[in-house]
Amino acid sequence: MMTDPYDTAAPLNYDLVLRSRRTTLPDGERPAAVAIAGERIALIGDYDEPLPAHRTEDLHDLALLPGLVDTHVHVNEPGRTEWEGFATATRAAAAGGVTTIIDMPLNSLPPTVDTTALAAKRAAANGKAWVDVGFWGGAIPGNDADLEGLRDAGVFGFKCFTAPSGVDEFPPLSVPELRRACATVAALDSVLIVHAENPEHLHATGAAPGFDRFLASRPVEAETSAIREVVNAAKDTGARVHILHLAAADALDAIDEARQGGVDISVETCPHYLTLAAEDIPDRATAFKCCPPIRGGANREALWAGLIGGRIDFVVSDHSPSPPHMKTDDFATAWGGIASVQLGLPLIWTEARRRGLTLGDVARWMSTATADFAGLDRKGRIAAGADADLVAFDPERAWTVRAEDLLHRHPVTPYDRRELTGAVVSTWLRGKRIDTEAAPRGRQLRRSPR
Ligand code: ZN
């Protein structure tokens, strides 16, 4: 007689039960037990509830958080793997408690602007990723007809620039091209994610050792005026749009107004804008260079207020490394990009804790909201049915960043020697602790239709 192996009267043994007195659940932090069957969370129980399991780990006072979902990571493979590749980026991500990344369509070669390039990306990532990986497509002048194929192949949406991107093969859209891309993206029921700086407000930096000249070359108006163009294009076409890496808090008024007017718009910022200030950046310290630039301390505080007030939707790394030789000592010529995928959680927690905010706030900004933005309904929360992507985090441990200990490809980061509070202890991907000595288990994700 055939027996159904799934229909058993024997009591279920969960594969793993994790207990923590500080479990960050969607409705707040409390002592709980998280029972995992296979790759998913099966049940949330009380902390001391007896639950039959093959393995049980008691994390005691370590916090248990949902794995971070970082929707803004530049991996650069294939083509510029010497800048950053899937193996190095995802190893760093896992060490930082990030269990899902969505890769940006530029600085790899080819850029992800058609399905052939997406296939090259997928082939390059295959078997190398320690965390789950999805892909953004790119919208550049002339590739409008390629967006539908990319959407059907599972990209999470389309990135464009309104100003030069830093690499010639990924040119910006003019205002008419931006409007056209919005119309296409609206027809595809996708999202256009925009690097919004208006090139008419960008100036030459000139040779100067100080950060102030670079900052002056990319003023607040460059962001605010470009964001107004994006809002207008979204309003006229019905497109869903997203503002990447907001640096200028002044732009929040225009974004609020757009939302109130029914525009489907969201906005992110990054750890560097929330933890650093222009006036503290040393001369020639180009590890701090990114675009738009890190602005002054008062602006940083306004960004925190925007985040706390829900005017900024979430926080992502914009991890964008380069080899050390491209970080020259000249702000005019150095690569613009900050490497930080491994540090986002402790950076944001260090500041959030000082401001009286909770781990639940941090989990919402860096995991739940980003998962929702990407349409990843099984990611970003500790709840029955979700993927068992989890992080054990010691919220009290003080430590000092050493660039040479970070796991992305090159030991360049503006946070070298910075003192932080809070450290990642373990990261689980779909039910198993990530082990970088073993074969990578990361999967490639596709956006499912809304
Ligand atoms: Zn970026």
Side-chain angles (χ1 to χ4, degrees), residues 111 203 350:
H203 317 296
T350 299

Side-chain angles (χ1 to χ4, degrees), residues 179 354 356:
R179 300 178 76 85
R354 205 168 62 72

Side-chain angles (χ1 to χ4, degrees), residues 72 74 104 159 245 318 320:
H72 194 151
H74 294 264
M104 281 293 168
K159 179 179 195 181
H245 47 50
D318 193 7
S320 185

Side-chain angles (χ1 to χ4, degrees), residues 72-74 104 106-107 159 161 195 244-245 268 270 291 317-320 336-337:
H72 194 151
V73 176
H74 294 264
M104 281 293 168
L106 72 159
N107 311 315
K159 179 179 195 181
F161 281 72
H195 177 122
L244 297 162
H245 47 50
E268 68 186 34
C270 309
C291 300
S317 68
D318 193 7
H319 178 72
S320 185

